[in-house]
Every structure is written in C-alpha cells, then in structure tokens.
Amino acid sequence: MRFGTRRVLVLGGTGEARRLAGKLAGRPDLHVTSSLAGRVREPQLPPGEVRIGGFGGVDGLADWLRSEDVAAVVDATHPFARTITDNAVAAARRAGCPLLVLRRPAWEPVAGDDWRPVPSMAAAAALLPELGERIFLTTGRQGLAHFAGLDLQFLVRAVDPPEPPLPPRTTVLLARGPFSVEDELALLREHRVDALVSKNSGGSMTSAKLVAARELGLPVVMVQRPPRPDAPSAGTVEQAAAWLDAVLRDHAG
C-alpha cells in the first residue's frame, strides 16, 4: 500500500461491488480491497486487490479492520447475505470503523404481475403445491433443502452445481446472467413452467424472468428480503462513492 493512501474494504460478490471497486481502484488516495466469500467456484473478480475467504466471524473481521487500519467499509454483498452483513455491522462498530450498506433497490410489481410475497424459502415451499406441477426455481443453489420434500418437477438454475438434498425430480441448469426476455420466454415455454420462485434480489441481471412471467401470466412466488440492518445505506454506486468521500473528508479533518 502506497504511503498516504487510505484503505477501503468492499465486501463484494455483486455487480454493484465490482462497479464500486472499479470506480475507486484508480484513485491515488485509496487502496481498495475487495473481499469475496468464495462460495462461487469461478467468481467475476473486481479491479484491484481481491481477498477470498472469510475473516473468522465478528472478532476476526474486527481484528482485521484494526490491524489494516481500514478507513471505511462498504458492505455490497447480496441482499440476502444476512449473516455476512450482520457480522460486518457488528465488527465495524467494534473496531470504530465507518460502514455503509450498499443495496440495489428491490423489485416492485407492476400491472400484470401475479406475485405471491412470502417471508422465507420455507414459506415459498409451502405455497407451491397449489400453484402447479412444474416449478422454475431461481433462488440459487443455497436453500434448496426447503423444497426437497416436494414431489413436483423443478427446474433449478444456478451458477454452480447445487449440493443435496434436492427435490427428487430436479433438472439443473447451470447459467450466469444477464438473461434476455426472449431467452426466458423460450425457457419457460420449453419446460412448460407453471410458476416461478425468486428472491427479491433487485437489479437487472435476472429481472428478465419477471417480464417473461408477466407476459405468460405465470405466478411468481417472491421471497422478501431480510430486514434492513441498522446502519447507513445507499442504493447506488454513486451514492456509496459520495458517502465514502464524505467519511474520508471528516476523518482527515
């Protein structure tokens, strides 16, 4: 790290995290470290220094923030990565380090949508038998155990192969977004899908499935986000960069 630079930790894995790292990486006053959890086999790496793997919980992260003299943390993890976010908020407070939660806005239903909001994956699984036989499960590879006891036909899309337990009748499709509306329509028709299950992740990478479901009149079981953490937050990369500038100015003063 160059003399006179300030270290910023970006907890990443999302498109917003990569864009923020790219925006900050070229600044001579900053040393940006992006941290990835390591759950994806071939992650899309952001610009700058990258750290893969956990810190050892709240204590380990707090110690790392102190030892590396981190000036600020931006938690730009997935909206459903609740444990990571809770640990980051607690560790930053313990270390006396400013933290911002960067979360893309959630999707909102529009005219023609048939959304069935549920609070959890377990609630989504309980609702499915009344919606049809063929289910497009687009929640990623984690949490599939909630659906393992259902005798329905599942199409599961994930970046990496999911681990058991899985539903007994499962077809796995390995793919990484973004996806087009045309491709999503073709997929839903090919597999004669009756209903979709999605987490309300927000963003444009996978939103085409919602447009396709709307056009075909299919119900979408939408798992709602965990509660927002008690910490400063931003919805865009630009807002996060402005917050960081303000924090660094205040600290310098």
Side-chain angles (χ1 to χ4, degrees), residues 127-201:
L127 187 60
L128 288 182
E130 66 185 64
L131 297 181
E133 173 71 16
R134 293 171 294 276
I135 308 298
F136 185 22
L137 197 54
T138 67
T139 56
R141 65 192 181 98
Q142 297 184 3
L144 298 182
H146 291 290
F147 305 91
L150 296 177
D151 187 23
L152 302 174
Q153 181 63 52
F154 284 93
L155 174 64
V156 173
R157 183 164 66 193
V159 175
D160 291 326
E163 298 178 355
L166 299 175
R169 294 191 288 150
T170 295
T171 299
V172 175
L173 174 62
L174 298 182
R176 188 196 300 267
F179 306 103
S180 70
V181 174
E182 292 74 15
D183 287 344
E184 296 291 60
L185 283 168
L187 184 68
L188 295 177
R189 289 176 173 137
E190 176 188 352
H191 291 271
R192 296 179 298 140
V193 168
D194 296 316
L196 283 71
V197 181
S198 175
K199 294 177 179 177
N200 196 334
S201 301

Side-chain angles (χ1 to χ4, degrees), residues 1-232:
M1 190 167 75
R2 297 185 302 273
F3 177 76
T5 60
R6 311 293 301 284
R7 184 186 289 276
V8 174
L9 174 65
V10 177
L11 301 175
T14 61
E16 289 77 19
R18 290 189 293 275
R19 290 197 296 274
L20 180 62
K23 188 178 183 69
L24 302 177
R27 289 179 46 167
D29 60 326
L30 298 179
H31 181 94
V32 180
T33 300
S34 295
S35 175
L36 307 181
R39 292 175 178 170
V40 177
R41 293 182 181 178
E42 297 182 6
Q44 295 177 290
L45 298 179
E49 179 184 351
V50 178
R51 182 188 187 281
I52 297 179
F55 289 90
V58 174
D59 291 340
L61 178 54
D63 290 344
W64 193 89
L65 295 176
R66 293 191 196 98
S67 66
E68 297 296 327
D69 194 24
V70 174
V73 179
V74 178
D75 171 21
T77 55
H78 192 275
F80 284 80
R82 182 171 183 175
T83 298
I84 296 175
T85 295
D86 288 347
N87 286 351
V89 170
R93 285 177 180 162
R94 192 171 298 179
C97 182
L99 176 141
L100 177 79
V101 177
L102 172 57
R103 290 288 184 272
R104 69 187 78 132
W107 292 316
E108 297 289 344
V110 301
D113 282 331
D114 179 11
W115 286 14
R116 315 295 175 91
V118 294
S120 65
M121 298 278 275
L127 187 60
L128 288 182
E130 66 185 64
L131 297 181
E133 173 71 16
R134 293 171 294 276
I135 308 298
F136 185 22
L137 197 54
T138 67
T139 56
R141 65 192 181 98
Q142 297 184 3
L144 298 182
H146 291 290
F147 305 91
L150 296 177
D151 187 23
L152 302 174
Q153 181 63 52
F154 284 93
L155 174 64
V156 173
R157 183 164 66 193
V159 175
D160 291 326
E163 298 178 355
L166 299 175
R169 294 191 288 150
T170 295
T171 299
V172 175
L173 174 62
L174 298 182
R176 188 196 300 267
F179 306 103
S180 70
V181 174
E182 292 74 15
D183 287 344
E184 296 291 60
L185 283 168
L187 184 68
L188 295 177
R189 289 176 173 137
E190 176 188 352
H191 291 271
R192 296 179 298 140
V193 168
D194 296 316
L196 283 71
V197 181
S198 175
K199 294 177 179 177
N200 196 334
S201 301
S204 60
M205 288 284 284
T206 60
S207 60
K209 64 188 175 186
L210 305 178
V211 179
R214 184 187 314 136
E215 291 192 14
L216 296 178
L218 299 180
V220 176
V221 179
M222 187 65 74
V223 182
Q224 301 303 295
R225 293 183 177 190
R228 185 183 295 272
D230 182 18

